[in-house]
Amino acid sequence: MKFGIGQPASRLEDIRLVQGRGHFQDDRVIPGQVYAVFVRSPHAHAKINGVDTAAAKAAPGVLAVYTGADYEADGLGMPKATQPRKRADGSPMFAPQRPAMMVEHVKYVGDTVAMVIATTLNQAKDAAELVEVDYTPLPSVTDTAYAADPASPPIWEGNPDNISHRHERGDKAATEAAFAKAAHVVKRRYVITRVHAQYMEPRGSLGVWDAGDERYVLYADVNYPHRVRGMLANQVFKVPESAVRVVVQDVGGGFGTKGWQYVDHRLVMWAAKKLGKPVRWTCERSEAVMADEHGRDNIGEISLAFDANGKILGLHLDMIANIGAYIASDRQLLTPFGQIATVTGVYDIPAAYVCIDAVLTNTNPTAPYRGAGRPEAIYLIERAMDDAADELGIDRIDLRRRNMIQPEQMPYKIPLGPSYDVGQFPENMERALKLADFDGFEARRAESQKRGLLRGVSVVNAIEQAAGPQPEYAEIRFNPSGTALLMMGTKSHGQGHETVFKQILHEKIGIDPADVRFIDGDTDRVAFGMGSNGSRSMAIGGSALVLAADKIIAKGKKIAAHMLEAGEGDIEFTEGIFSVAGTDKQVTLNAVARAAFLPAKLPKGMEPGFYENATYESPQGTYPNGCHVCEVEVDPETGHVQLVAYAVVDDVGTVINPTTLKGQIHGGIAQGLGQALMEKVTYDKDTGQLLSASFMDYAMPRADNFANIAIESNPVPTARNLLGAKGAGEAGTVGALPAVMLAVMDALKPLGVKHLDMPASPDAVWRAIQDAKAAG
């Protein structure tokens, strides 16, 4: 098959996208739409004494100016976290909900205070400047470590220590026993910075009230349309889900940050009903870092216990995780808490214990961002492995070989969670070392040294938990002409879902992809869906599609048997053809589909039509894994870091499309490199002011920051779903974040640099070099 599973097919979506015929959030125009602009807090923490909207309401073109008091008066609800978490003393977690607009206090720079709606966007912007807010500034805390310090000022009344809750995993007693008998203990503290997704198209929302149907419609760019609909209907507007429709078309990048419901979604819907007009809000690039959830931002103190032979006996991790000012939903509880189980990596570690304190700060809430806790986990263990190798005097590759989980140990129960089912971790590393010509590195280092540059290499073994056990939906709906609709509950935001799902459908039933229309992201057209997150779309959504296709084949065999005057048990199906075994009698899938709508051509009592759906749930998550080898050159005079080589051997299970897989790996590496070398959301420690709100201050990687990326696949299919797929969307970032930083550290090692926190910007690298020189 030229278009089936495993074929490197070009993305079908790209034809219309490169021709400018996409349907992105800002492309949708509804007649009569009006424009919203939000008035945002300039303070990190302040009391609101009053909001004067009179001048703004009198401005040209203004239709309304709403405040938090107006929203509260209408009695609308707020979503809240439901996961059972507790504080260290056993009391319930402190989980402040997030109002749509603030009434009494603002808690971070960018908090919404008022909403101005006008006939044109410029009129709304001008009027927003006229809203007068009387603030009394209050002490703020934006630094993660300081937030957990007893000396820091409280963010919320009733929560004096700023700790929302504590999350623990593992066997504390067994881990303490392992450390008690250790010959060596290596302990390090690593900072993982706060970042923003910086997608191609900033977020937007367009709310419509259909008075005739008495229902809300939200056009947005979210990852989980059905879950957003459910939350808006059940928790905010308190109406049946049938009274809310969510529509998502093309999404200009999401990376998890666009996944869930934001306050602007409910506000444009609420305002649309009040005004009887469609209300649009479009986030501008300069507003995005203030308006969106952020990613990462935690500090980990990790300890490894070793015996006299360099075998790891136990792992202990104390972490402080910055979750921002609010816990608006369970999203704020997902990272790093839900994914920290893989902090033991691919290593045979008998005992482990993790303790995470979630701290509240005067910053944007944090939420899943590409990798969602898995890059953080692998960053901690892999940096600790390199530092342990140095401290113990053991070669870093040898230390990894001594401790790696072997294939014969599968399934392997990890000490912090469920079990790895399959994987060839040693083979991944050996192949990656060969692919990267690791043995030739010293010669390349010497050549760089002749040019006055420092060269470093890293070897990182990555693993992540993906495709968690949540249900997903697929539907195949044939038309009477024999063409079909393919409807998926997952939502593409740039991954190429249309292509790969059509490949699966073609593999299963042989239908020409040109005869299939792909539909996702519309809660009126797709019956159900959990959406796209955690690298689950292919493993779970693709398995649902396999089930639906099997149902199509089963019904098709009944119809074909009737058409060919044969027994159903004699019908075979392959590559779109139903045939009678041992004969030349056959009929095409297209003919069977057309016959399905003609009662006279069907077996007696068969229901006409040719459409099937399926919902699939995996019993356990999957574990994509791989090995990354990164090489960099560092200019000691300027601190500039240049990527010069990168190699990956990855195991994402069954590969549906090698071309799109490489694209996913490339993109993931880019985001890991960006965080490692330059990206960081920065606040002024004293004032709480956001210092990196635009691309003037928030650095982003460009093409010249990269080198050729060599990728090989080592697929070991899993039995935990029907395709054997493990997930690929986040794998690149999971490995790249530690790989780039460790390569930089290796380059700086000859100068005596012992520690450096990300990002390894030229300034930070240069200062680390100067400090090492000063220390002798």
Side-chain angles (χ1 to χ4, degrees):
M1 291 186 180
K2 294 183 179 180
F3 194 75
I5 292 175
Q7 297 299 315
S10 298
R11 294 190 357 152
L12 301 173
E13 300 92 327
D14 290 346
I15 297 172
R16 62 182 178 83
L17 294 178
V18 299
Q19 292 177 343
R21 295 187 296 187
H23 299 286
F24 293 92
Q25 181 65 22
D26 204 45
D27 291 325
R28 184 177 294 278
V29 176
I30 296 181
Q33 69 183 21
V34 295
Y35 298 84
V37 169
F38 294 115
V39 177
R40 299 187 180 276
S41 169
H43 300 284
H45 194 193
K47 183 179 184 298
I48 300 174
N49 301 311
V51 183
D52 185 350
T53 62
K57 288 179 178 177
V62 172
L63 302 174
V65 181
Y66 298 124
T67 66
D70 299 317
Y71 188 87
E72 281 189 348
D74 282 1
L76 301 179
M78 286 190 288
K80 63 180 180 179
T82 60
Q83 291 187 16
R85 297 281 174 84
K86 293 183 178 181
R87 290 167 53 84
D89 62 4
S91 60
M93 72 172 170
F94 187 85
Q97 292 174 268
R98 183 179 186 178
M101 291 185 285
M102 307 312 297
V103 177
E104 297 179 351
H105 294 86
V106 291
K107 296 295 182 179
Y108 67 89
V109 173
D111 230 347
T112 49
V113 178
M115 180 185 193
V116 178
I117 302 171
T119 303
T120 70
L121 178 59
N122 285 337
Q123 288 172 334
K125 287 182 176 181
D126 289 343
E129 297 288 337
L130 302 177
V131 176
E132 295 288 341
V133 185
D134 180 12
Y135 296 103
T136 299
L138 298 170
S140 64
V141 181
T142 54
D143 181 77
T144 302
Y146 184 48
D149 189 323
S152 65
I155 308 303
W156 290 92
E157 287 187 20
N159 190 50
D161 61 4
N162 294 326
I163 295 176
S164 164
H165 62 276
R166 173 168 288 181
H167 182 65
E168 297 174 276
R169 295 184 77 152
D171 189 326
K172 185 176 183 180
T175 304
E176 289 176 346
F179 274 79
K181 66 180 182 181
H184 307 282
V185 172
V186 176
K187 185 176 183 178
R188 292 293 188 274
R189 179 181 183 272
Y190 304 119
V191 175
I192 299 168
T193 47
R194 174 177 287 242
V195 290
H196 179 265
Q198 301 289 14
Y199 14 66
M200 290 285 285
E201 183 185 34
R203 291 191 308 105
S205 51
L206 176 57
V208 177
W209 169 252
D210 188 326
D213 285 348
E214 294 189 335
R215 73 191 308 225
Y216 297 95
V217 181
L218 173 67
Y219 299 96
D221 43 2
V222 298
N223 292 16
Y224 337 127
H226 292 82
R227 284 196 275 172
V228 168
R229 178 189 65 173
M231 191 282 298
L232 289 168
N234 299 323
Q235 298 185 41
V236 175
F237 295 105
K238 300 169 186 175
V239 297
E241 288 187 25
S242 58
V244 177
R245 180 187 183 191
V246 176
V247 181
V248 186
Q249 289 189 281
D250 291 321
V251 179
F255 314 119
T257 302
K258 286 184 179 177
W260 188 227
Q261 200 275 332
Y262 280 88
V263 295
D264 48 90
H265 297 152
R266 65 188 97 148
L267 287 172
V268 297
M269 297 166 73
W270 169 68
K273 184 176 182 180
K274 292 178 78 71
L275 294 175
K277 295 177 180 292
V279 176
R280 168 189 286 281
W281 172 71
T282 301
C283 187
E284 298 191 356
R285 184 65 68 181
S286 59
E287 185 183 12
V289 181
M290 292 187 289
D292 298 346
E293 294 170 327
H294 297 164
R296 319 284 195 233
D297 200 348
N298 45 70
I299 300 170
E301 192 171 86
I302 185 171
S303 301
L304 295 177
F306 291 89
D307 68 14
N309 296 315
K311 179 72 178 67
I312 304 174
L313 303 175
L315 177 151
H316 183 112
L317 172 65
D318 288 316
M319 179 178 279
I320 304 170
N322 188 339
I323 54 177
Y326 306 101
I327 301 182
S329 72
D330 287 337
R331 265 174 68 81
Q332 274 72 61
L333 307 181
L334 293 177
T335 54
F337 320 106
Q339 301 296 341
I340 202 64
T342 54
V343 74
T344 55
V346 300
Y347 304 112
D348 183 12
I349 301 178
Y353 170 72
V354 171
C355 179
I356 305 173
D357 280 332
V359 297
L360 294 157
T361 59
N362 294 116
T363 64
N364 297 50
T366 53
Y369 167 66
R370 197 169 194 170
R374 287 95 92 191
E376 296 94 312
I378 300 305
Y379 182 81
L380 292 169
I381 182 62
E382 288 296 308
R383 280 208 70 171
M385 288 295 283
D386 264 21
D387 281 344
D390 285 345
E391 190 167 318
L392 300 178
I394 301 174
D395 177 78
R396 55 185 166 166
I397 305 301
D398 183 36
L399 185 65
R400 286 170 167 83
R401 285 175 177 144
R402 292 186 197 186
N403 287 282
M404 197 169 285
I405 299 166
Q406 300 300 310
E408 58 269 22
Q409 293 178 267
M410 297 292 182
Y412 180 88
K413 179 73 169 65
I414 56 177
L416 295 172
S419 61
Y420 299 158
D421 57 335
V422 290
Q424 295 280 353
F425 308 148
E427 183 179 333
N428 289 343
M429 188 170 75
E430 300 308 324
R431 285 180 56 177
L433 292 172
K434 183 178 179 181
L435 180 64
D437 185 22
F438 187 81
D439 290 343
F441 171 73
E442 289 303 329
R444 296 191 295 275
R445 190 203 290 266
E447 191 276 330
S448 296
Q449 190 172 7
K450 290 178 182 178
R451 293 183 284 112
L453 301 176
L454 306 168
R455 196 176 188 109
V457 65
S458 65
V459 179
V460 162
N461 293 301
I463 191 166
E464 57 165 323
Q465 184 175 351
Q470 289 181 318
E472 197 46 78
Y473 177 85
E475 180 178 352
I476 304 165
R477 186 187 304 173
F478 274 86
N479 301 309
S481 64
T483 59
L485 305 178
L486 169 58
M487 289 169 280
M488 298 296 301
T490 58
K491 180 70 198 86
S492 176
H493 43 97
Q495 306 98 313
H497 283 190
E498 178 178 350
T499 302
V500 290
F501 284 134
K502 284 186 177 181
Q503 284 183 260
I504 294 172
L505 189 61
H506 178 77
E507 177 87 15
K508 287 293 295 182
I509 67 175
I511 190 169
D512 188 331
D515 290 337
V516 180
R517 178 167 293 278
F518 177 75
I519 297 170
D520 67 358
D522 188 336
T523 60
D524 267 12
R525 301 173 77 184
V526 181
F528 169 78
M530 295 300 289
S532 297
N533 64 283
S535 301
R536 68 186 299 274
S537 296
M538 196 50 51
I540 312 300
S543 293
L545 178 54
V546 169
L547 287 179
D550 286 341
K551 292 180 181 180
I552 285 288
I553 294 169
K555 184 171 184 179
K557 284 185 175 181
K558 290 182 172 68
I559 298 172
H562 182 73
M563 295 173 69
L564 297 172
E565 298 180 338
E568 183 184 339
D570 294 327
I571 299 297
E572 297 177 342
F573 179 75
T574 182
E575 297 188 16
I577 302 292
F578 294 93
S579 59
V580 179
T583 75
D584 60 357
K585 297 174 66 175
Q586 62 182 34
V587 62
T588 66
L589 173 70
N590 181 275
V592 167
R594 286 186 281 110
F597 293 90
L598 303 172
K601 292 191 174 184
L602 296 178
K604 186 176 181 180
M606 176 176 281
E607 179 183 358
F610 208 40
Y611 16 76
E612 298 289 349
N613 59 56
T615 304
Y616 179 82
E617 181 177 12
S618 173
Q620 296 184 66
T622 60
Y623 290 90
N625 58 87
C627 182
H628 294 231
V629 181
C630 174
E631 284 190 42
V632 300
E633 283 185 333
V634 177
D635 185 341
E637 298 300 318
T638 65
H640 175 72
V641 177
Q642 180 62 53
L643 185 73
V644 293
Y646 204 105
V648 184
V649 172
D650 67 84
D651 169 16
V652 300
T654 300
V655 177
I656 307 300
N657 185 322
T659 301
T660 58
L661 170 61
K662 286 185 177 181
Q664 289 290 298
I665 300 295
H666 285 173
I669 290 171
Q671 287 184 281
L673 177 142
Q675 180 169 1
L677 295 186
M678 61 195 72
E679 294 186 53
K680 184 180 181 182
V681 174
T682 304
Y683 295 90
D684 182 272
K685 191 170 183 178
D686 296 323
T687 67
Q689 281 299 309
L690 178 63
L691 303 178
S692 53
S694 75
F695 287 152
M696 292 291 290
D697 306 293
Y698 188 101
M700 288 284 286
R702 302 179 302 185
D704 60 359
N705 295 116
F706 294 91
N708 179 60
I709 300 174
I711 299 175
E712 285 186 5
S713 288
N714 183 28
V716 183
T718 177
R720 290 180 174 174
N721 60 69
L722 302 181
L723 285 167
K726 295 178 178 178
E730 294 155 297
T733 309
V734 175
L737 187 62
V740 175
M741 278 301 299
L742 285 176
V744 173
M745 295 304 299
D746 186 59
L748 299 178
K749 188 187 302 183
L751 300 185
V753 175
K754 298 293 186 182
H755 185 78
L756 178 67
D757 283 323
M758 66 178 77
S761 63
D763 175 71
V765 172
W766 185 85
R767 289 182 183 278
I769 292 172
Q770 303 315 306
D771 290 345
K773 288 180 178 178

